[in-house]
Amino acid sequence: MAILPTGTELVPIGSTLKAGDILEYNSLVLAAQVRTWGGTPTRYPIIPDNMDTICRFVEDAAKGHDLILLNAGSSAGAEDYSAQVVEKLGLLLVHGVAIRPGHPVILDWLIGMDLLLGRRMTVRALSKFL
């Protein structure tokens, strides 16, 4: 499973935080959960909010993984590119589920593989999904 954290506001653990920064830790939690299930996670570096850049990383991840989890915004923010990335690279199946937390989840079929996309509260939402 490829885990791709996105967001210009995300910074690695250990960074000096500035106003508006958010520590990126969801990929660590998700990778640990994947290992618990017997999977092999690949954590990608933080990807800035840029549609073309996100598309490139998703396409790269698709080459070597059976499943991609794009941990990103998927609602209506100006830099929430998840749905657009899905529409460009695959088939958008679901955009939003009726559970909280986690209702702006996106599911799609990408280049013959599964792609899960969820907002940054994915770690909490994942427990409901599974």
Side-chain angles (χ1 to χ4, degrees), residues 6 13 18 69 84 87 130:
T6 74
I13 291 175
K18 301 182 304 266
L69 195 147
Q84 294 169 342
E87 290 173 337
L130 305 170

Side-chain angles (χ1 to χ4, degrees), residues 2 4-7 44 46-63 68 70 72 79-90 108 110-111 113 115 117:
L4 287 72
T6 74
Y44 277 71
I46 296 167
I47 305 165
D49 287 320
N50 176 285
M51 183 165 157
D52 292 332
T53 303
I54 295 169
C55 283
R56 282 195 306 275
F57 273 90
V58 169
E59 288 173 319
D60 178 69
K63 294 175 187 172
I68 299 171
L70 182 62
E79 294 186 333
D80 290 345
Y81 296 112
S82 299
Q84 294 169 342
V85 168
V86 168
E87 290 173 337
K88 179 176 179 179
L89 300 178
D108 95 317
L110 169 74
I111 318 169
M113 67 177 304
L115 171 65
L117 298 102

